[in-house]
Amino acid sequence: MQDYSATLSRVEDYFDRSATKVWERLTSDAPVSRIRQTVREGRDRMRAIMLSRLPADLRGCRVLDAGCGTGLMTAELAARGADVVAVDISPQLIAIAEARLTEDLRPRVTFAAGDMTSPALGRFDFVMAMDSLIYYRTADIAAALGKLADRTAGHITFTVAPRTPFLMTFFTIGKAFPRADRSPTMIPQDWRAIARHTGGDLGRVERVSRGFYISECLEYRA
């Protein structure tokens, strides 16, 4: 079983070398396959759910978009008036996010390529981590939440892949392939196990299931 740093390296390699174009297209208005369209719709719904957990007016708030990808969440946070730190392990995705951000929002956003748990990123009022913890073990997720919570005044809203029969089947099948031949493996999680590991206040918000996109929104406060 890989530890946090090994998984982080694998995720960086995947998104920078294999999946950049796929994610650039998926997070745009360009036509995609029927399967990827369900993923796009599911992600749009999840992003809306996560944003609904924050005040409509974020002026004066510093928000971390942890695993910002191509910047869809970043732009919406900045449009609400937040000062956003948008971090992603993939420099290529950061470059796409920067290019897409409209000029009026640029003064509100600081982009950074690297580990979303880095203390160098500073302190925050809120943290949003959409689908950026889905490749990690329960203990690693809990440790990441602890590091972020130490520097967060409010709550951390994040997602995991839930332990559904469908996802557990894909997880089991995925383990049969050599690591060099496949993308990082999503690890389905039982939210109660994460709660036991964190020892903090963790609650369920909502699950989204749209075709091939299945994700559960959780909220954590130390």
Side-chain angles (χ1 to χ4, degrees):
M1 186 72 73
Q2 295 187 85
D3 63 11
Y4 179 85
S5 59
T7 302
L8 188 72
S9 177
R10 184 170 179 79
V11 171
E12 178 183 10
D13 184 74
Y14 170 65
F15 281 103
D16 260 4
R17 300 193 182 191
S18 305
T20 305
K21 291 299 181 184
V22 171
W23 279 92
E24 183 176 21
R25 190 174 186 86
L26 182 68
T27 57
S28 70
D29 295 326
V32 291
S33 68
R34 186 175 301 178
I35 289 175
R36 286 181 176 164
Q37 180 63 27
T38 67
V39 174
R40 177 185 284 171
E41 292 170 1
R43 286 178 55 82
D44 287 348
R45 173 60 185 152
M46 179 56 78
R47 188 168 58 257
I49 290 168
M50 294 179 70
L51 286 165
S52 76
R53 308 298 296 177
L54 298 180
D57 186 349
L58 287 170
R59 286 176 294 182
C61 292
R62 193 167 190 260
V63 182
L64 176 65
D65 187 2
C68 67
T70 58
L72 294 178
M73 179 85 75
T74 298
E76 296 203 43
L77 291 168
R80 291 190 184 190
D83 293 316
V84 186
V85 175
V87 62
D88 199 279
I89 194 61
S90 167
Q92 300 248 23
L93 294 184
I94 286 287
I96 295 169
E98 286 189 279
R100 287 181 175 179
L101 192 66
T102 57
E103 287 295 331
D104 60 310
L105 298 180
R106 288 183 184 275
R108 294 198 170 278
V109 180
T110 300
F111 287 102
D115 185 352
M116 61 188 167
T117 68
S118 171
L121 298 174
R123 302 189 63 84
F124 301 96
D125 295 288
F126 301 100
V127 173
M128 307 290 270
M130 180 173 157
D131 296 345
S132 50
L133 292 169
I134 60 175
Y135 303 113
Y136 297 94
R137 301 175 304 167
T138 303
D140 290 331
I141 293 173
L145 291 174
K147 290 178 182 178
L148 291 169
D150 286 344
R151 297 178 287 112
T152 304
H155 55 257
I156 300 167
T157 306
F158 68 104
T159 62
V160 296
R163 289 178 67 90
T164 66
F166 179 79
L167 289 182
M168 287 305 297
T169 298
F170 269 80
F171 176 61
T172 302
I173 292 173
K175 289 193 294 184
F177 290 87
R179 287 198 176 275
D181 297 334
R182 59 186 171 87
S183 63
T185 303
M186 285 191 302
I187 301 179
Q189 301 288 338
D190 182 339
W191 72 275
R192 291 163 295 194
I194 300 174
R196 288 193 296 270
H197 274 76
T198 60
D201 180 11
L202 188 145
R204 303 169 79 185
V205 177
E206 190 171 335
R207 180 178 294 183
V208 172
S209 182
R210 179 71 178 93
F212 275 71
Y213 182 84
I214 304 173
S215 188
E216 186 158 38
C217 181
L218 305 174
E219 205 160 77
Y220 176 72
R221 188 189 300 269

